[in-house]
Amino acid sequence: MVSWVITGSNRGIGLGFIRKLSSDPNNIMFALTRSKTTSTALLVLESKQKNVHVLQADITDVASLREVATVVDNATGGTLDVLINNGAYLSPERGDWSLDMYEGNEDLLDEDCTNFFKVNALGVIKTINVFLPLLRKSAEKSLAKVITISAPAGDLDFNIKTDLYYFAPYALSKAAVNMVAAKYTARFKNENILFLSLSPGFVDTMGDHRGANDVQKATYSKLIEQFQAGYPDWDGKILTPEESVTAMLETVSKLTVKDSGAFISHYGDTKNWL
């Protein structure tokens, strides 16, 4: 059995991972969600798939993470093969703000950066630290993997090439979490553990924009125009969560410990973000 812990599993990419991986009976899935009561699709999947276990935990709350780690420990005999850090924070509020727009709004700057870093960087560190003993035990037999879902917004060249001046605090937090993988790699480079930042591509996590308000729809359209201007060869297609997950898992299956510390795309390269 291959054991997987996936955070942020209640929707979008996280739910896509659980659906795809649970179809293989050789996988045992631990799906982490902040709230079981709002994870209807995930609970339905758990009721149908014996290898899916839905667990409630907030990645910013170490106590809840430790409770979940104990469940995983007992179920696997003390090991964990793959940790996918998918849980993240992306607030639509001030999503179209550039950094200079915080002039005179420094309290909002503090609030936004704190919220994004608390989840997208610090939450990932806390999650890795809690599950690290189980991963190190797994690494004694085969390559253990820690995959953190990042974003093109965390790449310096991409921001400049596409004039992506907004989503500023989010982009800062994603750049920071890319460094997290490098730091863990430097610390555990002599152990059989891979730490990687992985971009999922440009994914429609709202399902063809259902439920999106007018501002969000306009933002999607603006992003497509800017991305096409920066990458003229891109066809403008937004990936479904299923398409993104399929591509990412194919890339993950080919990784070796030599890839540790990198930030790569769902295609397995370093700049083909779309």
Side-chain angles (χ1 to χ4, degrees):
M1 296 289 286
V2 179
S3 55
W4 302 70
V5 165
I6 300 176
T7 68
S9 296
N10 64 309
R11 59 184 293 273
I13 292 172
L15 183 59
F17 273 122
I18 300 298
R19 283 174 171 161
K20 181 78 172 179
L21 291 165
S22 64
S23 64
D24 184 345
N26 291 316
N27 291 325
I28 178 170
M29 311 301 304
F30 299 96
L32 272 59
T33 177
R34 281 198 307 165
S35 173
K36 283 189 176 183
T37 59
T38 59
S39 302
T40 304
L42 195 57
L43 293 174
V44 169
L45 188 60
E46 181 185 38
S47 69
K48 296 178 179 179
Q49 298 286 97
K50 294 181 179 180
N51 59 343
V52 174
H53 306 276
V54 179
L55 305 173
Q56 184 168 302
D58 185 332
I59 64 173
T60 66
D61 179 10
V62 173
S64 68
L65 286 170
R66 286 174 177 161
E67 290 180 6
V68 167
T70 298
V71 174
V72 176
D73 187 350
N74 292 335
T76 65
T79 66
L80 173 62
D81 299 311
V82 187
L83 167 63
I84 297 183
N85 293 302
N86 175 69
Y89 176 75
L90 177 57
S91 172
E93 295 180 10
R94 296 178 291 281
D96 59 348
W97 279 36
S98 58
L99 288 175
D100 59 289
M101 294 176 70
Y102 285 99
E103 168 62 28
N105 296 285
E106 284 73 22
D107 287 346
L108 290 180
L109 177 63
D110 290 347
E111 177 184 335
D112 286 352
C113 286
T114 297
N115 288 338
F116 278 103
F117 273 79
K118 182 179 180 180
V119 178
N120 297 352
L122 298 181
V124 170
I125 295 170
K126 291 175 181 178
T127 303
I128 293 174
N129 285 346
V130 166
F131 286 102
L132 193 55
L134 302 184
L135 289 159
R136 296 180 80 178
K137 191 70 174 179
S138 177
E140 293 177 4
K141 297 181 179 179
S142 62
L143 179 65
K145 299 175 182 178
V146 178
I147 309 296
T148 298
I149 305 304
S150 186
D155 176 58
L156 301 180
D157 292 339
F158 183 84
N159 282 267
I160 296 170
K161 196 170 183 178
T162 62
D163 295 329
L164 189 62
Y165 58 83
Y166 42 103
F167 292 122
Y170 171 76
L172 294 175
S173 69
K174 286 302 184 180
V177 84
N178 292 341
M179 180 59 74
V180 169
K183 287 296 185 182
Y184 275 104
T185 296
R187 172 67 178 86
F188 296 102
K189 65 188 304 180
N190 295 322
E191 297 192 29
N192 200 26
I193 308 176
L194 166 79
F195 297 91
L196 188 87
S197 291
L198 180 62
S199 170
F202 187 24
V203 186
D204 181 7
T205 56
M206 291 186 291
D208 296 327
H209 313 317
R210 287 190 296 271
N213 58 39
D214 291 340
V215 173
Q216 291 170 324
K217 290 178 181 178
T219 298
Y220 260 97
S221 297
K222 184 178 181 180
L223 284 172
I224 291 173
E225 290 179 4
Q226 288 185 225
F227 293 172
Q228 285 183 315
Y231 296 84
D233 294 334
W234 180 51
D235 60 9
K237 179 185 177 182
I238 303 178
L239 300 174
T240 65
E242 292 75 20
E243 290 171 329
S244 173
V245 165
T246 297
M248 285 192 287
L249 287 176
E250 183 176 350
T251 292
V252 168
S253 68
K254 300 175 183 177
L255 297 172
T256 70
V257 73
K258 293 180 180 179
D259 298 303
S260 194
F263 173 35
I264 63 175
S265 78
H266 53 303
Y267 297 116
D269 56 30
T270 57
K271 290 296 178 183
N272 192 13
W273 304 120
L274 299 174

